[in-house]
Structure formats: C-alpha cells, structure tokens
Amino acid sequence: MTTLRFRVDPNSLDSPESHKAIEQAARILRSGGLVALPTETVYGLGANALDPDAVARIFAAKGRPAWDPVIVHIAEESMLGELATELPEAARKLIAAFWPGPLTLLLPRSPRIPDAVTAGRPLVGIRMPAHPVALELIRCAGIPVAAPSANVFGHTSPTTAAHVLHDLDRRIDAILDAGPTRHGVESTVLDPTQSPMVIYRPGAVTLEQIRAAAGPAELFKTDKPLSAEPPEAMPSPGVGIRHYAPRARLFLIDAPFSSLPRSLSDAATLHLKDRVGLLLPAELTRDAHLIRLRAEIFPWGRWSVPAELAHNLYAGLRALDSLGCTVILCPLPPAEGIGAALRDRLHKAAAQ
C-alpha cells in the first residue's frame, strides 16, 4: 500500500488545491479506507465510525488491542442524534462552553455504533475537533469519523505529518498534512453521566474549567498498577495502561523548579553508559550544571507557560529518540491546569 500525502493550508480551505485534497480524503473515508487527519490536539487515524470493517482497519494498522475504545469525531451537533441516545444537561453545558474543542464526552451509545468503537462498553466517546481541516473533512465525507492517535499503539503520539509517516507509512491510505498541531496533547475525556462527573483523561480543557461550566467533577483514580495488557475493556482511551512511550527509557524528575538543575544533573550521572537526552525547560538551557553534561538537549519550552510544554512534549520525545538516546530525563510540571495532562502522559510514558 502506498500512503498518499495531501497537503492542505488550513488558512486557505477555499483554494482549489485544498478542496481537491479534502475531497480525495473524504472519498477514501467513504469507501472504508484510513486517513490520518490533523486535529488541534494530535493527528488522528480516521475511518468511518459506522463501518465495522473500516474501524477494524484502524486497530490492524496501529496494532491496537480490541480492549481500547476509540473516539468518534463529528463536525455538527446534529450528528449526535445517530451516535448517542441521551444528552445529559451537564453535557449540553459543556458542549456550549467547549465545542469545537479538545473535550471528549462519554455518552450512551446508539445501536448504530459498532462494538469495536467502544470495546463493547455502553458509552461512546464523542468530540467535535477545533481544527478547520478536520471539520471540513468530516463535513465533506458526511460521516462521523472514528480516530485514535495516528501512531503505533502505545508509542508517542504524532503532532506532525512526518511523525505519522514514521509510524504508519504503507499501513494507511492517506494523510492530510496541515502542519503541526496546536495543543500537542490529546483531548480531555469526561463522563458527564455520573455525579460528580469523572475525567478519565485530563487534557487541554482542565478540571477547573469543567467545574466552572457544568458543576462537580473529579479525576479518575485507580489503585491498579499501569500495565501493557489490562484484563478487560477500558472505560476510556489511555486509562490505566502504558501509553505515549518513546523507544528510550523515560525517567521523571519530580522536584521543585529551583532544584531541577541539580536533580537533573544527579540523575544523568546515574546513566553514564547511556546516551542521555534531556527535555529541558527554556529557563534552564544556560544552567552551568546542565551545560557540562554530555547529553542531548531538547528545548522543551518555558516552564512558566505549561501550554508550551504540552505543545512540544511529543515532538521532544520523538526528537530525542531520533538522536539515538537510550535514556530520557524529564522534569514533572506542577499538576495545576494543563499540568495535570502533562503529568498523566508522562507517568504513562514512563511506566515499565
């Protein structure tokens, strides 16, 4: 299989080139094929969400196990009617506040949803992405699009078309290349049918924002250890499993910002026989302790601007992998705001 690469300028969707590329991708989706598409979070691997055979191709291309559900993407609220049987009042408030945007709602599934989409569970994850190319593709295809991240299962999520092709070239039909994604971490996944509501996966829409818009909510907690093969279907994508992992071993440094230089330096000395990579906050790139280290450094972004860290996280892990690092050291940001999403992804990426 040859993977076609269609380039689209998200700022010029009316151009003949963009129109042709999106129409070609839409035809592939309608015919049961696989198309990687940009969203505001990461690139997703899309298929017709109502076609069981097409959804099965997602799992085959990614090497994704059947117990891990996938999210369905829509372009209009009117599409909810064929996907969900109920829309709680809390969900209505959240849709008004955050759609289009990086918020996935777990809703009672309609009979039209194939079991593979939900891993046989009664709730289906639905979101409306805030990316003009994704929205136009879904509208043009005229179908809801199931789309987990467009990478090999368990590995670092893709934030550029090049990342997608590195993992899935010749495994999928096409990719719509619209440049780097904006947020860089996956959507928040929330169950609004419970009281309080439960966030199964933190993301760019924060716990604080959800509470302000729709009432009581809490983060999902489990005492079960992270593993590669949970024994049953998971309630949400990315819950309780090793995920988002680079090839290198990832070690997390949980320390106050003022002591990070010394903590990172001490950690690096424990791996003198390894090729060490550092995800380094911009404020520390000139620190004397770290300059002396024989390590590959990826300038992660400003520690004081967690959105920059989120935007660059997966790109940084992939860059250090590409440099041949066998160990990556990464500081853990504070848990406030999008920092909760960063800590979630990093803990799952570092799980052994």
Side-chain angles (χ1 to χ4, degrees):
M1 175 189 299
T2 298
T3 298
L4 303 173
R5 187 173 187 173
F6 305 130
R7 288 181 169 82
V8 180
D9 182 350
N11 299 311
S12 301
L13 292 184
D14 292 334
S15 70
E17 295 80 10
S18 292
H19 179 78
K20 179 180 179 181
I22 290 172
E23 178 54 44
Q24 287 176 301
R27 280 200 300 270
I28 292 170
L29 288 176
R30 286 194 297 268
S31 67
L34 301 182
V35 176
L37 63 147
T39 76
E40 77 279 23
T41 58
V42 300
Y43 272 77
L45 180 56
N48 182 351
L50 304 179
D51 180 345
D53 292 336
V55 174
R57 292 186 186 104
I58 292 176
F59 286 80
K62 284 175 58 72
R64 186 183 181 96
W67 44 252
D68 200 11
V70 298
I71 292 169
V72 178
H73 295 66
I74 62 175
E76 308 287 348
E77 284 186 43
S78 60
M79 299 177 77
L80 280 172
E82 64 178 336
L83 304 176
T85 59
E86 181 184 343
L87 194 61
E89 182 58 30
R92 296 180 191 277
K93 293 178 180 178
L94 292 164
I95 287 170
F98 301 114
W99 279 14
L103 176 65
T104 295
L105 298 177
L106 295 172
L107 301 171
R109 60 183 274 204
S110 83
R112 295 201 65 191
I113 299 292
D115 283 344
V117 170
T118 69
R121 297 181 66 86
L123 302 181
V124 58
I126 304 173
R127 88 176 186 99
M128 185 187 298
H131 194 292
V133 174
L135 291 173
E136 188 62 25
L137 174 63
I138 297 167
R139 291 190 188 107
C140 187
I143 52 175
V145 174
S149 56
N151 58 297
V152 172
F153 176 75
H155 292 188
T156 310
S157 298
T159 57
T160 68
H163 295 164
V164 176
L165 291 172
H166 181 271
D167 281 17
L168 300 179
D169 193 19
R170 299 183 183 276
R171 297 190 187 190
I172 63 177
D173 296 289
I175 178 170
L176 274 179
D177 181 353
T181 62
R182 185 168 86 244
H183 289 301
V185 294
E186 297 80 0
S187 63
T188 303
V189 178
L190 173 77
D191 183 351
T193 70
Q194 301 188 51
S195 183
M197 298 176 289
V198 176
I199 294 177
Y200 283 103
R201 183 178 71 187
V205 177
T206 66
L207 174 63
E208 296 80 9
Q209 290 174 313
I210 288 167
R211 286 172 171 168
E218 60 186 21
L219 292 172
F220 172 75
K221 295 179 181 178
T222 179
D223 295 328
K224 296 179 180 179
L226 293 172
S227 66
E229 297 183 3
E232 59 185 20
M234 305 306 293
S236 163
V239 171
I241 55 175
R242 188 171 187 264
H243 234 65
Y244 320 112
R247 291 192 303 272
R249 289 178 296 157
L250 177 62
F251 293 91
L252 306 179
I253 310 300
D254 196 359
F257 182 76
S258 60
S259 61
L260 277 181
R262 175 60 68 182
S263 297
L264 287 167
S265 179
D266 289 347
T269 61
L270 300 176
H271 300 282
L272 296 177
K273 295 182 179 180
D274 291 288
R275 186 165 187 175
V276 176
L278 300 180
L279 275 175
L280 198 62
E283 295 91 335
L284 300 181
T285 53
R286 296 185 180 182
D287 184 273
H289 288 98
L290 302 174
I291 291 174
R292 290 196 296 267
L293 294 177
R294 299 174 65 181
E296 300 287 352
I297 292 176
F298 180 85
W300 191 10
R302 290 171 290 175
W303 193 255
S304 57
V305 186
E308 288 186 6
L309 306 180
H311 176 78
N312 295 324
L313 174 61
Y314 295 140
L317 293 175
R318 283 180 175 265
L320 294 173
D321 261 347
S322 70
L323 291 171
C325 294
T326 55
V327 164
I328 296 174
L329 305 178
C330 179
L332 268 176
E336 295 83 19
I338 200 171
L342 285 164
R343 292 174 73 94
D344 171 81
R345 304 310 191 273
L346 286 166
H347 277 300
K348 287 170 182 167
Q352 300 298 316

